[in-house]
Amino acid sequence: MKLEELMKKFLRDERVRFLAVGGFNTVFGFVLFALFERLLKNLSGGYMYALVIAQVISLFVAYWMHRTLTFKVKGHFWRDLFRFTMVNAVGYGINLVALPLFVNLLHMEPLIAQFIILLVTTVISYVGHKMFSFRRNQNG
């Protein structure tokens, strides 16, 4: 099988596209954070403004990419955006609660704890977006 055919077959899998879009958006969000952190470094709390700006921009980019590339849906733009944001908020909430529990109660290294949480929240995110954010019934 040619490499091109193998790549096409690989990218037909929605889960692969989900991980590819998520990976891209993670790097994109980090680059945005770094850029805005540098631009706002002279402001008090500039890094927090940078975080919020990067999060908002990357949320919309992730939404558009998952909508068009991963799940390939049309219609219901605002409903899907609201649901997408809710699913992402669940992931952020889990992360905010689980990370200090893993680090402070279970005495895990923060990077290891974050990696475990990332694995769990990625699965939750995929299922949430597939079954809720971009769910379509038979009529669209």
Side-chain angles (χ1 to χ4, degrees):
M1 185 180 286
K2 292 182 183 177
L3 180 61
E4 183 179 340
E5 292 170 7
L6 186 62
M7 288 300 294
K8 284 181 182 178
K9 181 179 180 182
F10 194 61
L11 290 175
R12 279 189 215 118
D13 189 330
E14 180 180 87
R15 296 165 299 187
V16 171
R17 293 191 312 266
F18 180 82
L19 291 174
V21 167
F24 168 82
N25 202 59
T26 299
V27 172
F28 177 71
F30 184 79
V31 168
L32 283 177
F33 171 75
L35 172 71
F36 285 110
E37 193 278 330
R38 292 287 114 200
L39 290 172
L40 302 172
K41 68 182 176 184
N42 293 327
L43 286 176
S44 175
Y47 67 94
M48 291 303 293
Y49 294 116
L51 178 64
V52 171
I53 293 166
Q55 288 283 348
V56 169
I57 293 170
S58 64
L59 177 88
F60 283 106
V61 170
Y63 171 70
W64 176 80
M65 290 180 76
H66 281 306
R67 181 177 174 78
T68 59
L69 301 174
T70 303
F71 298 104
K72 300 180 181 184
V73 297
K74 296 191 184 312
H76 307 291
F77 181 88
W78 295 108
R79 181 194 74 183
D80 291 351
L81 177 59
F82 178 74
R83 289 178 170 191
F84 183 84
T85 303
M86 288 175 49
V87 169
N88 281 359
V90 168
Y92 291 141
I94 290 169
N95 205 52
L96 287 171
V97 171
L99 187 59
L101 290 175
F102 282 20
V103 171
N104 296 322
L105 292 178
L106 300 178
H107 306 290
M108 292 179 77
E109 289 293 321
L111 289 178
I112 294 170
Q114 184 61 35
F115 182 74
I116 293 168
I117 295 164
L118 174 68
L119 294 175
V120 172
T121 57
T122 297
V123 172
I124 291 169
S125 179
Y126 174 74
V127 171
H129 291 316
K130 181 170 182 64
M131 304 304 284
F132 183 66
S133 301
F134 300 112
R135 184 189 76 225
R136 296 296 188 261
N137 61 26
Q138 299 294 7
N139 299 326

